[in-house]
Amino acid sequence: MNVTRWLPRRFNPVFAAFLIIAFLTGIAGALQAPTLSLFLTTEVKVRPLWVGMFYTVNAIAGIIVSFLLAKRSDTRGDRRRLILLCCMMAVGNSLLFAFNRDYLTLITAGVLLAAIANTAMPQIFALAREYADSSAREVVMFSSVMRAQLSLAWVIGPPLSFMLALNYGFTVMFMIAAAIFGISVLLVWLILPSVPRAQIEISVDAPPIAPISAWRDPDVRLLFLASMLMWTCNTMYIIDMPLYITADLGLPERLAGLLMGTAAGLEIPAMLLAGYYVKRFGKRNMMLFAVAAGVLFYAGLVLFKFKLALMVLQLFNAIFIGIIAGIGMLYFQDLMPGRPGAATTMFTNSISTGVILAGVLQGVLVENFGHYAVYWLITLLALLALWMSARVREV
């Protein structure tokens, strides 16, 4: 009897399914995102301003759709069915990009499909948190291990993305992404659980939690703005770097995939170590350490322009993204108790808002001042994010 009780704790098929789905959806996204700016420039043949505008419109649509879906998911309905719908939309979006080269179609139908599809990831993490809470698992490490699957996906995805796009074409690359999303649909349908909504008991003397608007909390507001700036910096880098290293530095296009893959590989130990040490040092201190590493990374991009330096700097990039991606989401959840879906979406919408700014700023800067100006600006934005993060309370 003791053995049978021990085995499920060692291997839980639902836990394994969460990890596999996070990895598969991550790698499908990592096939598409790194080469998107290159795809729009070379295949759709639009100017840098319209490349940035695509990211901005995509992010605005994502915020609207994800907020509407998150509000519904936290109050009623089956979160698993919502994830299933989002993954199916991701299949349709990948197929649209595989066979369409019309900018207007991509920025309308493509953006709508992508907005629904991108809601899958925060909902997967929200369902994972509910499952971890209901099964008495360690939430921080569970979330960190899941985030590590995304980092592992980004180790493989970007180099594979550039290899497929440059050698076999974008159509093949997007069709492979569609197939991976299709596998995710099957796994969600067959394995993921439907976790009943937890009823939050509130004592008579305790203040109400749910009615208070999250945006009225100054800590949530500051964390949102700081996170928004962090992801603005990261997105401007992702949009611009594949174009910058070829147009200005004269380095091969494949280097962009190698840099992204290297950073993602280093993110895995950074993320796991952050999950392990967060109880000792606290979420606030971990976040400050991460953003300080981000400042060093972006300042390094201003100062150094050769391959070896770009590779070494990815260590700071990995610390930055690895920690804020894992701890940042949990920070929002702890500041907004009882609303995991809304808190997770608050985090992902700080990313989306950052993408909105990044798309506009990157396009305008490159059109008027060139690629190099991008890295001066993101260094300043990272410093501002560090100052804001220092003002958020510990939880």
Side-chain angles (χ1 to χ4, degrees), residues 94-125:
S94 298
L95 292 175
L96 180 66
F97 274 76
F99 298 106
N100 189 283
R101 297 296 182 270
D102 179 63
Y103 183 79
L104 185 59
T105 303
L106 295 176
I107 205 172
T108 51
V111 160
L112 178 60
L113 289 173
I116 301 173
N118 291 338
T119 308
M121 193 58 71
Q123 291 300 319
I124 289 170
F125 274 90

Side-chain angles (χ1 to χ4, degrees), residues 62-382:
I63 288 177
I64 296 171
V65 170
S66 61
F67 257 135
L68 292 174
L69 293 179
K71 183 177 180 180
R72 179 181 177 85
S73 72
D74 278 346
T75 56
R76 61 187 183 277
D78 187 344
R79 202 185 296 276
R80 185 182 68 91
R81 290 184 180 179
L82 178 57
I83 295 170
L84 192 61
L85 172 66
C86 294
C87 289
M88 292 172 66
M89 294 301 102
V91 173
N93 183 58
S94 298
L95 292 175
L96 180 66
F97 274 76
F99 298 106
N100 189 283
R101 297 296 182 270
D102 179 63
Y103 183 79
L104 185 59
T105 303
L106 295 176
I107 205 172
T108 51
V111 160
L112 178 60
L113 289 173
I116 301 173
N118 291 338
T119 308
M121 193 58 71
Q123 291 300 319
I124 289 170
F125 274 90
L127 182 61
R129 170 125 193 187
E130 290 173 344
Y131 176 74
D133 287 337
S134 67
S135 58
R137 290 182 175 273
E138 170 54 51
V139 172
V140 174
M141 279 307 299
F142 187 17
S143 179
S144 295
V145 172
M146 282 189 65
R147 288 293 319 184
Q149 303 308 303
L150 298 186
S151 293
L152 180 60
W154 275 80
V155 173
I156 301 169
L160 182 61
S161 174
F162 280 90
M163 184 275 289
L164 290 171
L166 296 176
N167 293 310
Y168 301 100
F170 283 96
T171 297
V172 171
M173 185 198 73
F174 283 116
M175 287 181 67
I176 291 174
I180 295 172
F181 276 124
I183 296 171
S184 300
V185 169
L186 291 175
L187 290 174
V188 172
W189 181 41
L190 295 173
I191 303 177
L192 284 197
S194 296
V195 180
R197 296 289 186 274
Q199 297 297 320
I200 303 172
E201 295 183 4
I202 303 175
S203 68
V204 176
D205 299 326
I209 296 175
I212 300 174
S213 171
W215 191 249
R216 294 176 187 171
D217 186 330
D219 291 299
V220 173
R221 189 165 60 244
L222 270 174
L223 184 59
F224 180 89
L225 293 173
S227 181
M228 176 192 71
L229 291 178
M230 297 174 206
W231 293 104
T232 299
C233 296
N234 181 63
T235 306
M236 288 178 72
Y237 167 74
I238 290 175
I239 297 172
D240 195 77
M241 188 265 290
L243 307 174
Y244 172 61
I245 64 172
T246 55
D248 284 20
L249 303 186
L251 297 171
E253 292 175 324
R254 287 176 176 82
L255 178 61
L258 182 60
L259 292 175
M260 291 183 185
T262 300
L266 294 171
E267 281 173 25
I268 297 175
M271 194 173 296
L272 294 176
L273 287 171
Y276 182 78
Y277 284 108
V278 68
K279 287 186 177 180
R280 179 182 300 181
F281 297 105
K283 295 182 180 68
R284 180 176 177 274
N285 289 334
M286 297 294 289
M287 290 286 285
L288 292 177
F289 176 69
V291 184
V295 172
L296 292 176
F297 171 60
Y298 297 122
L301 294 176
V302 172
L303 298 173
F304 304 108
K305 302 179 183 180
F306 52 95
K307 180 179 178 180
L308 179 60
L310 295 176
M311 292 292 291
V312 172
L313 285 171
Q314 298 308 312
L315 174 62
F316 297 101
N317 188 22
I319 294 171
F320 175 50
I321 300 301
I323 294 177
I324 68 169
I327 302 302
M329 181 174 61
L330 294 172
Y331 211 167
F332 276 104
Q333 289 178 344
D334 288 347
L335 287 172
M336 300 169 60
R339 291 171 290 173
T344 307
T345 300
M346 194 82 166
F347 171 70
T348 56
N349 282 341
S350 72
I351 300 176
S352 298
T353 310
V355 174
I356 293 172
L357 288 176
V360 173
L361 292 173
Q362 190 272 344
V364 170
L365 283 174
V366 173
E367 286 263 330
N368 294 282
F369 304 104
H371 293 283
Y372 191 55
V374 170
Y375 301 97
W376 277 104
L377 179 60
I378 57 180
T379 302
L380 296 175
L381 293 180

